[in-house]
Amino acid sequence: MYRDNERYRLFTRRAALLAGAKLVVASVLAGRMYQIQVIESDRYKMLAEDNRINMRLIAPPRGRIVDRFSSPLAVNRESYRVLLIAEQTDDVNATLEKLDRLIGLGKSERRRVLREVGKRRSFVPVTVREGLDWRAVAKIEVNAPYLPGISIDVDFARDYPHSVKSAHVLGYVAAVSEPELGGDPLLELPGFRIGKEGVEKTRDLALRGKAGASQVEVNAMGRVIREVGRVEGVPGNEVRLTIDMAMQTLAQDRLAYHQSASAVLLGVETGEILAMASTPSYEPNQFVRGLDAETWRSVISDPMTPLVNRSLSGLYAPGSTFKLVVALAALNSGRWWPGRRTYCRGFMELGRAQFHCWNKHGHGWLDLLGAIEQSCDIYFYELAHKIGIDRIAEMAVELGLGAKLLSELPGEQEGLVPTPGWKLAATGEKWQGGETLITGIGQGFVLTTPLQLAVMAARIASGRAVRPRLVIEPAADGTPPDEPLFPALEIRETALRVVRRGMDAVANRERGTAYRYSIREPELELAGKTGTSQVRRISKRERGSGVLKNHQRPWRERDHALFVAYAPVERPRYAISVVVEHGGAGSSVATPIARDLLLEAQRRDPLGVDADNRLAWVETAPGQG
Amino acid sequence: MATVSATGEELTLGRKLLLLNWPLVLLLCLISAIGVGMLYSAGGGSWEPWAMRQVMRLGAALVLMLVVALIDIRFWLRYAYAIYFVTAALLVGVEVAGATGMGARRWIDLGVVRLQPSELMKIALILGLARYFHGISIEDVGRPSRLLAPVLMTLAPAFLVLRQPDLGTAVMLVIAGATIFFVVGVRLWKFAAVGALGLAAMPVVWSFLRPYQRQRILTFFDPETDPLGAGYHILQAKIALGSGGVFGKGYMQGSQAHLDFLPERQTDFIFTMLAEEFGLIGGLEVLALFLVLFAYGFGIALRIRNQFGRVVALGVTMTVSIYVSLNIAMVMGLVPVVGAPLPLISYGGTAMLSVMVGYGLLLSASIGKDTAIGKSAPFDDF
């Protein structure tokens, strides 16, 4: 038994060693537990909360954009879609079968849904169809008990009820692009859209509103277990424009007869933009839905550039409309008087260069009024030569040319009021005397936008430094804001009066260049100035062989037709500019458009009626639904 | 030579029931009850799908344990080899015709029950080795030639299990075998030699490992490299533990467990859930309960007067204790995630059964602690 005892003692010793080792292991485990659960506990508690809680942003509804009478221009339309949640139905196929009988699913649509159901986790909703109409929604809702797993989801899509007619002013919203990310976490929401053009872009922050947030508890698969907390968002503000959609529609309709044209209608005293039309236009609703690559390419490569708002991005030599600037500069300088006469024989010479009048037979003896009325080039060459380029440039700036006027829309061009200093800086060359003459009839370097031309007309009509406005800011006390009074221009009233009389003569005297297309109704007559902006230089050789008439030239080489005007002649209320690209002579193409718009503006008188009183009219107006 | 009990007479059933170590049985029931409670929580406060089935299995396993305990220790000695070889044959059977479950062949489908021979092997190996070392003298233990057979008895099943592939169980079998070698008195330098050999054989073992097993080992050494892959489990387990803090989040309030961040919360990671909901205090309590259980095991083993019973009792205690240590160390990121359940607490039928059968053997050895059994011809009484 000795051996057995020894074996027993050895066993006991070894067992004691094992037990000791076991205790060591247990202490290590307890120590590790202490380390994780006590020392590092805070860190892990935070990680556990991060795991558990997810922030879900709630997109606020985008603010509406309305016209001056609160008629909606940009709204959020409810858009319905059918969702399928696979785990809520026992048989996906049977559910789709029933849905098929209700709204007619195609075979390929069903295959796509089944494929997506297979790919996703069973609690993730799969979109069966988007953009359902009301009838389909009603059918599904009524049959809901027989359609397990099917639900209807309401989404809001931006909608522009006036489509192409308001596109350039409103712009459009579209999905956020990579470089626009950052700052507002809303931008990272899938499907969120921000303003890309027009007022939608410049007023994006106000329209967007503030995101709400929902704190949800999620599990490891991302399934929402419950809502822990919720912060409601702030809906976007409504933006009210100065636009009168009726006038805007009329303007777009009138321009639609031309390939490429624009018109801006202003309130003379307030600078409020009532219509800002540009053609060709585009369908903004297409952009909201998202364009396919092919359509996008065709839109941006269109030589007619439908995306460009010509009213403030289009640059045109003002042509004869600039003669108003020159006349005012001359009269204001005191170096010229209205009765001073000049003889026009169809051309004049300065140094070795010859300068031509549009009437090659000459106008004969003319005073200033007659020169404006008949738009004699020779008279204005003389005028420009007499007073010099600097006075002309000064007056141009005083009338609103050569600078941006409106902050409410992107893409506005400054235009150009040339001076010798500018020329030296830009080209390194000295100013030539002949260039002053050319500038005197609105050709050469000088460039303006239609908006600037409309503002110029409003400033001449009112004698005040009118600035255009597009948005009606809500007054703090809720009443419409007082009409802003712009400071008076630094131009002698007598000078302004002469030029106004000249514009009156253009439209209402028999030899006036706009007489044929003017307003005949008493009290509503307009005063204006025609302009023809030369697109190409006429060479000497050409002039020798006879200048081609506009309609004989290819469209791209035809002159731009311009017209600036205000109405009525006495106590003017509305100012307008119309530019028809390659329209030929200003009088015959641009003038009738301005006439129709000014006549309708005076009859409708959107400025004359308090917006609140107009609401009743808006309710019954057609096309407002 | 006839074997006789110390009192010289056969024990009656009533006497056996009296001799049964009831505190140990109660301790087992207590730990198992904690397991059922955790499974109730894991099911989201429901008896389904785990808690109820665990209760039924626990009942069956307890009955089986008592039956095993009440059978004379000499019976188990007599059939130790037979049990070992039948189980080894079943392992080969799995290799040949095993059903594939969870990407690993582990079960033999007997129609009524799915048999997991690797679990049974844990017990069978203890029986086989105890039987072997019971039969040889202390001098024989010193002879390397006599150790060849038990080494083969350990490595062969470990190899088969590794091929299933079940790295955790394979490692466990080797460690359990080594423990028995140690306790019967194999010289320490031999362990060192085998250890060195084992290190040299590492590349060979590595080639047998599946990519996911290799990944787990690599991830263990650098878990932060792959926070969403294999390292995800360890990280989430640590978050569960750490966020539980000292007092825990409360029963059924563990966000990590109940929001499914915790992998395998009903099996391998059940301790994590327990420590998340009951905190450091709950975790230490369970650890302490296990320590008491092992202390009982050691105490019983030391009082047994025959080598077979001693080795069985200590083998069972050590196997279970290594499982507990391995599991807890694993979920706390101290060792690689090898897939080792927490005995008595984790959900799982065969594991519960093998632990209870093991403790049945331990109790049987305890009842027959005074039975002196000779080295040879131990079967005369039967």
Side-chain angles (χ1 to χ4, degrees), chain A residues 476-489:
Chain A
D477 55 1
T479 57
D482 290 336
E483 312 241 303
L485 273 177
F486 299 105
L489 293 170

Side-chain angles (χ1 to χ4, degrees), chain B residues 287-373:
Chain B
L287 194 60
L289 281 177
F290 273 116
L291 283 181
V292 173
L293 183 69
F294 303 146
Y296 263 103
F298 276 100
I300 287 167
L302 290 180
R303 276 200 295 269
I304 294 170
R305 288 176 56 191
N306 57 70
Q307 183 74 351
F308 177 73
R310 284 201 284 257
V311 173
V312 166
L314 201 85
V316 168
T317 300
M318 282 311 292
T319 302
V320 174
S321 108
I322 290 167
Y323 255 95
V324 170
S325 311
L326 192 66
N327 176 271
I328 296 178
M330 171 183 91
V331 299
M332 293 196 298
L334 287 171
V335 297
V337 177
V338 286
L342 185 61
L344 298 171
I345 293 183
S346 284
Y347 178 76
T350 325
M352 167 72 76
L353 213 65
S354 64
V355 170
M356 286 305 191
V357 168
Y359 272 98
L361 290 171
L362 183 146
L363 288 169
S364 168
S366 168
I367 292 169
K369 65 176 185 293
D370 295 327
T371 311
I373 314 170

Side-chain angles (χ1 to χ4, degrees), chain B residues 31 42 55 71 78 94 125 135 159 191 206 208 234 247 279 281 292 295 303 311 328 331 345 363 370:
Chain B
I31 297 174
V55 167
I71 291 173
R78 187 173 175 180
V94 168
L125 180 65
F159 176 75
F191 284 95
W206 188 257
F208 274 104
I234 298 175
F247 299 104
I281 301 202
V292 173
R303 276 200 295 269
V311 173
I328 296 178
V331 299
I345 293 183
L363 288 169
D370 295 327

Side-chain angles (χ1 to χ4, degrees), chain A residues 50-69:
Chain A
D50 280 357
N51 264 348
R52 187 171 77 95
I53 302 295
N54 246 3
M55 291 284 281
R56 305 256 156 131
L57 285 178
I58 307 166
R62 193 173 174 85
R64 297 196 315 163
I65 302 176
V66 298
D67 83 346
R68 63 186 301 111
F69 301 118

Side-chain angles (χ1 to χ4, degrees), chain B residues 38-57:
Chain B
M38 288 326 294
L39 288 174
Y40 182 79
S41 171
S46 159
W47 290 101
E48 294 297 326
W50 299 305
M52 201 50 185
R53 290 162 82 178
Q54 185 81 345
V55 167
M56 297 192 312
R57 284 165 177 176

